Amino acid sequence: MHLTQHEEDLLESDNSAVRKAMELLVKLGDIYGAEEMIEIESAQASGISYKSIGDPGVEFLEGFAEEGAEASVPTFANPAGMDFDRWAEMGVDPDFAEKQQRIRDALEEMDIILSFTCTPYLAGNLPRRGQHVAWAESSAVSFVNSVVGARTNREGGPSALAAAITGRTPKYGLHLEANRQPTYRIDVEADIETQADFAALGSWTGRLVEDGKPYFTGIDSGGTDDLKSLGAAMAATGAVALYFVEGVTTEMEPPEDVETATFGEAEMEAEYAELTTADDPELVVIGCPHTSPEEIQDVADAVEGKTLTSDLWVATSGAVKTWADRNGYTDTIEDAGGMVLADTCNVVSPIEELGYESSATNSAKAATYLPGFCNQDVAFNDAETLLAEVTE
């Protein structure tokens, strides 16, 4: 791999954290046959929840910070295992909270932005089309590649942190135009109306194409939240990091020389059934990926003046929660008995230790992860239906 003089200097830095970060990126580039490094505009660090990384992860991050690791480009943190202001209300164990706070302190020492969100593009980190970034959270990677048009591979936690420190990443994979072409065509014949429909389409597609790059036809429209849910689901059931929606995310003509599949009403119905294992959920969670202002407003409208008969979490970023607080939506939701939580979500928080055994969600990503990662039975449906079933 060719390195510039600056990159050679990073590789030989007196700062051990910088040197280790560059060594990791060089090895990664060698593995994937990269010919050079490329400068990045931003990074997104995953592996932030104590639930996910445990004591070894805490020690690694603290040790890296002590060695002098420092982000050289804007770097946003992925969700943590709790709301830092309301962890006691959530029922989180104090020992868990103490370990999670140590992680936060280490990130702050490394100048990582304490965003704690999987939707950094809704919280101040929105790249321009064509920019190179190094993001790690699977749904964010999908969104930034497919909807925004920036370029990133699906980084792991260590490689994203290394890229943040050096401002570089190996130029391979989705950083190359030749690798950003569709490899499947999905003709959608089902009526895609709700965000959950987009999620169901995504989870079905992810299992089919695995790490391919699907091109969708037959979708008439798709807002930011719909596309967010579509990509998140594909990233969860497969490893899709780039997709195309005809007339929505791309003006590219539909590919003719790739494998084609059809998603109809039967596939839609079967996917809803595939994602559902519970009939009477104890907790409803909206916000995987984190909710946008529009989603929070929709939840508030659905529960206004009503009383919830089960617990409700609305998970979002601190930035969006501030907006919800100021506009009264948080009060509306919490007057009904729900909680608007920042910094975390039901997947990376220890919900299985909080007494919950079954959860409801409109997220196919959450429905995919919750059974294995959180020991939850799951009810999957659109948010309007879920909220109607738990309000009176």
Side-chain angles (χ1 to χ4, degrees), residues 90-110:
M90 293 174 64
V92 172
D93 182 86
D95 181 65
F96 184 105
E98 187 269 334
K99 299 291 180 60
Q100 186 66 73
Q101 184 62 56
R102 285 171 57 185
I103 292 171
R104 174 179 174 151
D105 292 345
L107 296 175
E108 185 173 23
E109 191 171 343
M110 289 187 281

Side-chain angles (χ1 to χ4, degrees), residues 294-310:
E294 292 80 5
E295 288 175 288
I296 290 180
Q297 185 173 0
D298 287 343
V299 173
D301 289 344
V303 303
E304 185 173 12
K306 300 178 181 179
T307 301
L308 286 157
T309 59
S310 76

Side-chain angles (χ1 to χ4, degrees), residues 310-325:
S310 76
D311 290 348
L312 168 67
W313 289 359
V314 180
T316 193
S317 67
V320 173
K321 185 176 184 299
T322 297
W323 170 88
D325 292 346

Side-chain angles (χ1 to χ4, degrees), residues 151 173-183 213:
R151 301 187 174 198
L174 294 177
H175 291 287
L176 302 173
E177 181 63 31
N179 296 327
R180 299 179 63 88
Q181 304 301 315
T183 59
K213 306 172 189 69

Side-chain angles (χ1 to χ4, degrees), residues 110-134:
M110 289 187 281
D111 282 347
I112 291 174
I113 297 167
L114 303 180
S115 53
F116 299 113
T117 182
C118 52
T119 57
Y121 46 87
L122 298 178
N125 188 1
L126 181 64
R128 296 194 309 276
R129 183 176 183 83
Q131 279 189 332
H132 295 272
V133 299

Side-chain angles (χ1 to χ4, degrees), residues 66-271:
E66 289 173 2
E67 290 184 54
E70 187 175 312
S72 64
V73 295
T75 302
F76 278 48
N78 214 36
M82 65 185 195
D83 183 313
F84 284 96
D85 295 327
R86 306 183 71 181
W87 60 267
E89 291 179 68
M90 293 174 64
V92 172
D93 182 86
D95 181 65
F96 184 105
E98 187 269 334
K99 299 291 180 60
Q100 186 66 73
Q101 184 62 56
R102 285 171 57 185
I103 292 171
R104 174 179 174 151
D105 292 345
L107 296 175
E108 185 173 23
E109 191 171 343
M110 289 187 281
D111 282 347
I112 291 174
I113 297 167
L114 303 180
S115 53
F116 299 113
T117 182
C118 52
T119 57
Y121 46 87
L122 298 178
N125 188 1
L126 181 64
R128 296 194 309 276
R129 183 176 183 83
Q131 279 189 332
H132 295 272
V133 299
W135 287 18
E137 199 278 328
S138 60
S139 74
V141 166
S142 178
F143 190 92
V144 78
N145 273 319
S146 309
V147 182
V148 176
R151 301 187 174 198
T152 182
N153 289 315
R154 185 169 170 169
E155 301 287 352
S159 65
L161 183 57
I165 293 167
T166 62
R168 301 289 191 277
T169 194
K171 189 178 181 181
Y172 72 95
L174 294 177
H175 291 287
L176 302 173
E177 181 63 31
N179 296 327
R180 299 179 63 88
Q181 304 301 315
T183 59
Y184 281 83
R185 172 172 167 167
I186 308 296
D187 294 327
V188 179
E189 296 182 355
D191 291 331
I192 306 296
E193 298 177 348
T194 69
Q195 197 171 328
D197 291 345
F198 276 88
L201 170 61
S203 61
W204 179 87
T205 302
R207 283 195 297 274
L208 175 69
V209 309
E210 297 180 342
D211 61 350
K213 306 172 189 69
Y215 183 109
F216 295 95
T217 70
I219 299 176
D220 296 331
S221 63
T224 296
D225 294 320
D226 299 323
L227 298 173
K228 177 183 68 177
S229 294
L230 174 66
M234 286 189 285
T237 58
V240 176
L242 172 63
Y243 67 87
F244 309 86
V245 180
E246 182 182 20
V248 177
T249 70
T250 181
E251 297 302 319
M252 180 190 303
E253 291 296 318
E256 300 292 343
D257 56 347
V258 297
E259 184 176 341
T260 300
T262 300
F263 183 81
E265 294 296 340
E267 287 76 16
M268 173 84 81
E269 183 178 347
E271 195 60 28

